[in-house]
Amino acid sequence: MILGFDTTLTYEKLSKLCTFIRHGKTYYGINPDLNCPVEGGEFIPDCGSIARCVESSTGVYPEFFGKPSRRTLDYIVKATGLKPEEIAIVGDRLYTDIAVADNSDVLSILVLSGETKKEDVPKSKHQPDVMVDDIGVLADLLE
């Protein structure tokens, strides 16, 4: 079973998933992101929040295949044919986007216009190589 971001999540779907898991079915998650940014600077629950809800009920937390799974980085390297030092990961979450580059030669770039704020960075075990205020700043740097 696969758990992903679902804006049509119902109690019925959640109950079925928990029942399947209690009966020994394996489930995987797409990403552990807790929040999904929406217009107006607000957030809605993302796949990681749903997984934590399921874990609270079943005691089982899924393995994730999106960031920060090492499988994601291995796939990027294989699919592109690039060396890790030729790859940059850009994202707004320390615990997924930046974490995927941990212990590798991949460059991690944190964009501060999403979930992570500048004051969160010193407290995190995942440290970006580069921080920019927003994606526009990154575009200017690439010109």
Side-chain angles (χ1 to χ4, degrees):
M1 303 190 71
I2 306 293
L3 174 67
F5 178 63
D6 184 356
T7 58
T8 65
L9 182 65
T10 63
Y11 192 80
E12 180 181 0
K13 288 180 182 180
L14 197 56
S15 295
K16 281 183 179 180
L17 176 59
C18 290
T19 299
F20 290 143
I21 293 167
R22 284 190 197 91
H23 288 221
K25 300 294 182 192
T26 301
Y27 83 113
Y28 299 95
I30 299 299
N31 69 67
D33 295 350
L34 299 174
N35 296 298
C36 178
V38 294
E39 288 186 37
E42 297 297 325
F43 296 93
I44 58 175
D46 206 332
C47 186
S49 294
I50 299 166
R52 286 192 181 172
C53 178
V54 171
E55 179 188 29
S56 293
S57 179
T58 66
V60 180
Y61 194 67
E63 176 181 352
F64 289 98
F65 282 87
K67 297 174 285 183
S69 171
R70 186 59 185 216
R71 294 173 197 247
T72 300
L73 185 54
D74 292 343
Y75 174 78
I76 292 169
V77 170
K78 184 177 178 182
T80 64
L82 297 171
K83 297 175 185 167
E85 60 270 17
E86 298 174 311
I87 297 170
I89 297 287
V90 180
D92 71 331
R93 293 177 177 95
L94 291 164
Y95 60 93
T96 57
D97 302 324
I98 302 307
V100 75
D102 283 355
N103 302 313
S104 77
D105 291 329
V106 171
L107 180 73
S108 61
I109 303 171
L110 178 66
V111 179
L112 295 170
S113 56
E115 185 173 318
T116 302
K117 303 302 174 211
K118 195 170 195 170
E119 57 269 16
D120 299 329
V121 176
K123 300 178 265 183
S124 176
K125 67 180 180 177
H126 309 291
Q127 294 295 306
D129 296 310
V130 177
M131 281 191 299
V132 295
D133 289 332
D134 57 55
I135 201 79
V137 172
L138 183 57
D140 291 344
L141 292 174
L142 295 174
E143 289 182 355

